[in-house]
Amino acid sequence: MKTVNAVKLGINIDHVATLRQARRDIDPDPAAASQVCRRAGADMIVVHLRQDRRHIQDEDLAKLCALKGDVHLEMAAVPEMLAVALKVRPDSVCLVPENPREVTTRGGLNLKAGAKALGRTIERLRKAGIEASLFVDPEAANVRMAKSLGADTVELCTSAYAGARGKTARAAELERLELAGYLVDEMGMHLHAGHGLDYHNVRPVARIARMASLNIGFSVIARALFVGLKPAVMEMKRLIAS
Ligand code: PXP
C-alpha cells in the first residue's frame, strides 16, 4: 500500500542567476526570487555553487543563507566548496558530480571512485551540523554505499526517468526509483529525488512511498517566464501534493 506523502518542494533557482550572468548585472536577483518562491509554497531553496561560477555566485549563497528559511546547497566534494559550506552554513548539502564541460549535472555520483573524498566531506559537514545528501542513480548498490559513507539523505537522480520515451521505458525507470527509494527508507535515510522533473512527469515520482522532497529547477524557472514565478511554483506545489 502506498503511503500518502507530504512531499516538500525544493526550488532550484540557479537559472535566475543564469539570466543575470548573461549581462553580469544585478537583476534578476536570486535572493529576491527565493522570497517569491517561499511565499508561493517552496519549502526549501536549492542552489548549485559550481566551481566555474557559471550562475550562482558566492555572494548569492551568502545572502540566501542569511535569509530565513532552509537553503540546500549542491556542490562538488572538493576542499574549496567544503570551505564555503562551512563558512556560510546552509541547512543541508547535496554532493553532486561536476564537470565543467557539462551543460547540467549528468547522472549521479560514482561513489566507488569518489568514496574517500565523499566520506571525508560528509563527516566534516555533519560535524558542523549540516545535513549531508548524496546524488545517486537509483541502484541498490548506490544506496548501500551512501549509507556506509554516512549520508543522512539520498537524492535519487530522475534524469533517466525524465528522459525515458514511451510508457514501458518510463514505467521501468519509475520502478527503479521506487525500489531504490524503498531501500533508502529501509536503511534509515531521508529520500529526495530530482533532475529533469517537470509539470508533466512529476506526479508519479511525488507518489513514491516515503518521498520527502523533490528538488526542481529548470522547468519551474522556464514556466515562470510565461506565467510568473509565484504561479509557476504554486502550480508545481499543487501537482506534488495532489
Ligand atoms: N537535483 C540535483 C542534484 C541537481 O544537480 C539539479 C540541477 O542543478 C536538480 C536537482 C534540478 O534539476 P532541474 O533543473 O532539471 O529541475
Side-chain angles (χ1 to χ4, degrees):
M1 200 181 74
K2 294 216 162 155
T3 347
V4 178
N5 303 312
V7 182
K8 291 190 171 172
L9 175 61
I11 292 287
N12 180 314
I13 55 170
D14 289 350
H15 296 302
V16 174
T18 300
L19 185 56
R20 180 197 57 198
Q21 293 308 104
R23 282 284 173 98
R24 308 265 190 287
D25 213 323
I26 54 167
D27 285 320
D29 176 19
S34 78
Q35 303 291 63
V36 176
C37 291
R38 288 193 199 282
R39 282 197 293 273
D43 299 286
M44 182 161 88
I45 295 300
V46 185
V47 287
H48 184 172
L49 184 69
R50 282 183 169 268
Q51 290 165 90
D52 63 13
R53 307 299 198 273
R54 68 174 70 166
H55 38 52
I56 292 293
Q57 306 296 304
D58 297 60
E59 310 80 68
D60 294 322
L61 178 63
K63 226 163 135 184
L64 288 166
C65 289
L67 293 170
K68 226 172 127 203
D70 284 1
V71 174
H72 182 70
L73 170 64
E74 297 170 357
M75 64 176 218
V78 297
E80 180 202 0
M81 288 301 152
L82 177 61
V84 172
L86 294 177
K87 187 170 163 214
V88 298
R89 293 178 163 270
D91 300 271
S92 49
V93 161
C94 182
L95 301 174
V96 299
E98 206 177 288
N99 178 336
R101 288 183 302 277
E102 68 198 1
V103 289
T104 181
T105 312
R106 294 179 63 85
L109 290 157
N110 181 339
L111 298 183
K112 251 192 193 157
K116 222 171 166 187
L118 293 166
R120 216 181 299 130
T121 310
I122 289 174
E123 198 186 340
R124 296 284 308 276
L125 290 168
R126 296 193 75 219
K127 261 193 194 149
I130 300 168
E131 268 192 38
S133 171
L134 291 174
F135 185 54
V136 302
D137 291 322
E139 298 294 342
N142 289 335
V143 177
R144 291 197 189 93
M145 183 126 187
K147 181 70 184 176
S148 73
L149 288 170
D152 301 288
T153 300
V154 166
E155 180 171 340
L156 297 177
C157 176
T158 49
S159 53
Y161 162 79
R165 293 290 162 256
K167 261 190 179 169
T168 313
R170 180 67 60 97
E173 288 300 336
L174 183 62
E175 195 178 341
R176 280 179 72 207
L177 291 165
E178 286 168 343
L179 291 172
Y182 177 80
L183 194 55
V184 170
D185 181 52
E186 280 287 297
M187 300 196 88
M189 296 177 287
H190 304 295
L191 175 62
H192 289 191
H195 208 274
L197 295 177
D198 62 26
Y199 297 85
H200 305 288
N201 65 22
V202 74
R203 285 181 73 180
V205 180
R207 289 206 194 105
I208 292 174
R210 306 291 179 189
M211 185 59 69
S213 182
L214 296 181
N215 299 328
I216 308 178
F218 188 80
S219 62
V220 173
I221 304 303
R223 180 139 181 81
L225 289 179
F226 295 92
V227 302
L229 186 53
K230 192 172 175 199
V233 173
M234 286 172 75
E235 201 179 327
M236 187 57 85
K237 180 86 179 171
R238 235 184 348 259
L239 279 173
I240 70 170
S242 61

